[in-house]
Structures are given as C-alpha cells and as structure tokens.
C-alpha cells in the first residue's frame, strides 16, 4: 500500500488542508518555529510547571500537563495556574494539552471537562480521551465543547474610520459603502457584524458620466463591530490598554477546543488491541469538528481525506557522547523509548512527546533544543 499523502506533505501545506482549526493553527506554528516538540511537564509543583513553561516555551509547540498531580495549583479562573499557563502559551507560541485521559460514561466526562475546580476547558486547548467506555465518551465531550463555546462570554469591539475616497472608488450606482479590512483574522466568533457608510455632497471635482453635473463625496464613515472573547489579550490590549505580549508571526490561537483520542500507548503490555485502535479511528472520523487526531505509536491516516495529527510519547535521545542510533531502553516502569528518527521518520508521527529526557537534564533549555532539532530533522528527511 502506498504511504498516505500526509506522510510526505509539509506542515505548511497541511495547515492549508486541515479540517480542524486547531490543527491548522498548530501546523502553522510548527512551520514557523521549526519545531514538532511537545514537552510533557510532569512536575510536582505549580511553580516548577510555570518555570519550565516559560523557559522551554520557545522550543516547543505543545505543553502537556497533568493538573491533578501538581501541588499548589491555583484554581482561580482569571489569575490562577491555568490562566497563567494560557498567558505563557500566547507569549511563547504553544498550545496546552491537558493529558486528562477521560475514561468514563458520557455524563461524567462532560462534568469533568467543563466543571469542577479545574474547569479544564477554560485553559486547555487540547484534551484526550481513553475510549475504553465506547464512542459515547467522544460524543459527549464534543457536545460539551460546543455548548461551552456557545456560552462563552464575548464583548463587542466597535471601531469607526473616516476617509475621503477618490472618484475612481465610485461608479454611477455606488452608494458610498466601503468594506473594512478585518486584518485577516478568521478566529471563531470574530466576525464583521455591520458596516455602514454615508456620503454627502460638497466640493470635490469629478463629473458624473450621465449628466455632466459636478458631484462630490466629502467622506465615508465605516463602522465595524467584532466579537472578541472577554479575556482575549488582543481585546485587552486594543480596548483597555493591556500590554500582554503575543508570539510574533501568527495570530492568537482559535477559541475552539480539540480532542486527541488515545489510540495506542508506549507502555509495555498495554491492552489496546488492533480492534480498539480501529474503533478510535472510526470515532475520530465521525467527529472531525472536534477530534484533532491521536496519541499513538504510528500514523493512522489511511483514507484519502484523513487529516489527523499524531503525537507520540516515549521519545528519548541517547546522551550526546553516545551512538545516536543506539537501541533505547525502557525506564523499568513499563515505559518504552524510541528516538525521534524512529517515531517521526519511520512511524510517521507528527509530534514527539518528551518529558524526563528534558526535565531531568543538567541544562533543560539546551536539551530541549537538542530534541527539537532532532525531531525536526527527522520530519524534514521524511518529507524530502
């Protein structure tokens, strides 16, 4: 069987064809940062989590968290740990993936996702599900995300611009209306609501072709309304003088949320059978508006229109002074390791997930760059 087209497609081209807005954004971010690295920030305290998110943010495109193992997590919705992580994500250019592995009946996972003390949906762009309870868990999470998005508070930003058009801007049937530039922003709920234009006669100097009479347009006034999330840094900066830094070169991440299905695991002896993995792929195809892709050990795109993203844990590099092609050993606790070349180059994953290999290094920032470089090299060689 011929390899799936996504295996040879660049991240930039996949950003154009992605069916999920977060995938489109993530592929653009990967191309911009030359990174396909996810940091698994399995740390003990909120202070460590925020420290590593800030220090390693420039090297990564996804930060994977386990909020329930972090001591000192501040649950305040505006100033707490989740909100601070979201601010760092905007500053350094990465998405937050809460590795919650929802695995219960539909009603329960909905409540775990949108409620409780953590309110995961508020700050995590991505979550994942263990589909052992069945497809209903995916359906329930998808519906919960839609309901949350529809209720999300928005504020209306109104701008007024006044300009004097030239004669060439009008024909004899022109009413004087004008389209306002929306800065290329196509984020959710950020849409033009109304445009009004008015023109009055005065002292310009063009002649109408029908009767030769002199006409004039003094000005065109354009009123544009846009709907912005109330906590958007763009909104706070433009409307209230806020100064939060946004990562250069790309727009703010879409407000829409995404799901990864846990289709395969890297732990020895896991019970995820071939039939289970196939059911995961079926569920993903049924919910393309919500499911971004998979946590898996290989690429699972098989149909022509499959555009799912794949993230793979268990990535480790040998020490710099050792053979970089050496066989990697496990951690003695069930985890099995593979190099970026095997995960990305051979198995076809898009993003490598690295935890202790970076966090336990003497120079975490330098080691993050080493992993970023190796994973990116494996990708560029694959699509060459």
């Amino acid at each position: 069987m011929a390899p799936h087209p996504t295996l040879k497609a660049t991240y930039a081209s996949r950003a154009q064809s992605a069916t999920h807005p977060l995938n489109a954004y993530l592929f653009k971010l990967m191309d911009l940062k030359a990174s396909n690295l996810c940091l698994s920030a399995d740390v003990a305290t909120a202070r460590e989590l925020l420290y590593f998110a800030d220090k390693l943010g420039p090297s990564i495109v996804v930060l994977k968290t386990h909020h329930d193992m972090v001591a000192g997590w501040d649950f305040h919705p505006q100033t707490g740990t989740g909100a601070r992580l979201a601010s760092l994500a905007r500053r350094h250019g990465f998405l937050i993936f809460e590795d919650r592995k929802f695995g219960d009946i539909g009603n329960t996972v909905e409540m775990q996702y949108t409620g409780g003390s953590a309110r995961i949906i508020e700050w995590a762009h991505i979550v994942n599900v263990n589909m052992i309870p069945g497809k209903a868990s995916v359906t329930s999470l998808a519906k919960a995300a839609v309901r949350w998005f529809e209720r999300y508070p928005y504020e209306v930003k109104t701008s007024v611009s006044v300009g004097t058009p030239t004669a060439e801007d009008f024909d004899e049937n022109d009413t004087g209306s004008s389209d306002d530039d929306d800065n290329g922003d196509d984020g959710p709920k950020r849409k033009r609501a109304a445009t009004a234009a008015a023109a009055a006669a005065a002292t310009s100097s063009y002649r109408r072709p029908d009767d030769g009479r002199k006409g004039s347009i003094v000005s065109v006034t354009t009123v544009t309304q846009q709907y912005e999330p109330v906590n958007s840094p763009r909104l706070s900066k433009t409307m209230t003088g806020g100064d939060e830094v946004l990562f250069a070169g790309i727009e703010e991440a879409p407000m829409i949320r995404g799901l990864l299905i846990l289709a395969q695991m890297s732990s020895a002896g896991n019970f995820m059978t071939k039939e289970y993995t196939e059911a995961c792929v079926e569920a993903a195809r049924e919910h393309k508006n919500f499911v971004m892709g998979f946590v898996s050990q290989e690429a699972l795109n098989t149909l022509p229109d499959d555009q799912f993203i794949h993230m793979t844990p268990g990535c480790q590099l040998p020490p710099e002074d050792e053979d970089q092609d050496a066989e990697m050993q496990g951690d003695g606790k069930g985890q099995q390791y593979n190099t970026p070349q095997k995960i990305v180059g051979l198995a076809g994953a898009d993003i490598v997930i690295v935890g202790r290999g970076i966090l336990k290094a003497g120079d975490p920032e330098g080691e993050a760059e080493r992993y970023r470089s190796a994973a990116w090299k494996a990708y560029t060689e694959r699509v060459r």
Side-chain angles (χ1 to χ4, degrees):
M1 181 183 293
H4 195 270
T6 54
L7 293 176
K8 283 295 185 180
T10 65
Y11 294 147
S13 65
R14 290 177 70 182
Q16 300 299 316
S17 61
T19 55
H20 195 295
L22 273 181
N23 271 349
Y25 180 87
L26 185 51
F27 282 128
K28 285 193 287 185
L29 193 60
M30 292 158 72
D31 183 64
L32 178 64
K33 297 183 74 172
S35 174
N36 50 345
L37 175 62
C38 168
L39 174 69
S40 181
D42 298 335
V43 295
T45 67
R47 182 176 181 179
E48 291 176 277
L49 177 60
L50 293 168
Y51 172 82
F52 282 119
D54 189 22
K55 291 298 182 182
L56 305 182
S59 297
I60 66 175
V61 289
V62 178
L63 177 75
K64 186 170 78 71
T65 60
H66 285 285
H67 87 274
D68 53 359
M69 64 184 281
V70 175
W73 186 282
D74 183 345
F75 293 103
H76 192 283
Q78 278 78 47
T79 61
T81 306
R84 294 176 68 184
L85 283 176
S87 178
L88 290 171
R90 289 188 286 261
R91 174 177 298 178
H92 295 303
F94 61 82
L95 296 181
I96 302 170
F97 166 24
E98 167 57 23
D99 190 6
R100 179 61 178 79
K101 295 185 181 73
F102 295 107
D104 214 313
I105 62 172
N107 185 65
T108 299
V109 298
E110 283 188 44
M111 295 174 67
Q112 290 172 327
Y113 186 27
T114 62
S117 55
R119 296 188 64 83
I120 295 169
I121 197 170
E122 299 286 348
W123 50 269
H125 304 94
I126 306 167
V127 291
N128 62 348
V129 64
N130 184 334
M131 220 181 69
I132 290 296
K135 292 182 180 180
S137 55
V138 177
T139 302
S140 295
L141 288 169
K143 290 180 178 178
V146 169
R147 286 196 298 271
W148 169 81
F149 184 77
E150 289 175 345
R151 293 196 302 262
Y152 199 88
Y154 287 86
E155 291 184 0
V156 180
K157 172 186 173 184
T158 302
S159 62
V160 179
S161 61
V162 179
T164 302
T166 62
E168 288 76 12
D169 293 329
F170 297 89
D171 60 29
E172 61 180 319
N173 297 316
D174 204 326
T175 63
S177 62
S178 170
D179 285 335
D180 184 61
D181 181 8
D182 64 359
N183 296 318
D185 192 342
D186 57 356
K189 294 290 186 179
R190 193 168 287 116
K191 59 186 178 181
R192 180 177 298 126
T195 300
T203 58
S204 186
S205 59
Y206 76 93
R207 292 186 177 275
R208 295 176 58 89
D210 54 344
D211 57 10
R213 289 181 297 170
K214 183 180 293 186
S216 176
I217 298 296
V218 171
S219 66
V220 171
T221 302
T222 303
V223 180
T224 302
Q225 293 180 325
Q226 295 176 324
Y227 293 86
E228 292 266 6
V230 294
N231 64 348
S232 165
R234 177 171 27 241
L235 183 74
S236 62
K237 184 174 183 179
T238 56
M239 294 186 70
T240 62
D243 59 357
E244 182 172 3
V245 176
L246 294 176
F247 187 75
I250 192 170
E251 68 276 8
E252 188 178 349
M255 285 299 301
I256 194 169
R257 295 322 195 200
L259 180 74
L260 297 173
I261 298 179
L262 184 61
Q264 297 169 327
M265 292 189 71
S266 57
S267 56
N270 70 79
F271 297 122
M272 293 184 173
T273 64
K274 178 181 178 182
E275 291 73 22
Y276 167 82
T277 300
E278 290 173 349
C280 291
V281 175
E282 289 177 6
R285 289 172 180 154
E286 293 168 5
H287 296 281
K288 289 182 179 180
N289 291 335
F290 184 49
V291 178
M292 299 171 62
F294 309 98
V295 175
S296 63
Q297 294 297 297
E298 61 185 336
L300 299 175
N301 290 334
T302 54
L303 296 184
D305 61 346
D306 283 347
Q307 296 290 335
F308 300 112
I309 197 168
H310 301 81
M311 304 188 192
T312 300
C315 180
Q316 191 171 82
L317 282 171
E320 287 188 271
D321 57 352
E322 294 183 11
D323 180 7
Q324 297 301 295
D325 296 321
E327 192 72 22
M328 301 305 300
Q329 303 298 316
D331 67 351
K333 300 179 181 180
Q335 177 67 287
Q336 301 177 103
Y337 291 118
N338 281 303
T339 64
Q341 178 56 41
K342 290 183 178 179
I343 291 173
V344 177
L346 299 180
D350 300 303
I351 293 177
V352 298
I353 301 175
V354 185
R356 287 168 285 180
I358 293 174
L359 298 175
K360 301 298 183 182
D363 176 17
E365 290 176 78
E367 196 69 357
E369 273 299 295
R370 190 165 80 98
Y371 273 92
R372 183 205 60 77
S373 179
W376 190 256
K377 179 182 178 183
Y379 151 71
T380 56
E381 290 178 348
R382 188 184 79 195
V383 300
R384 186 176 302 163

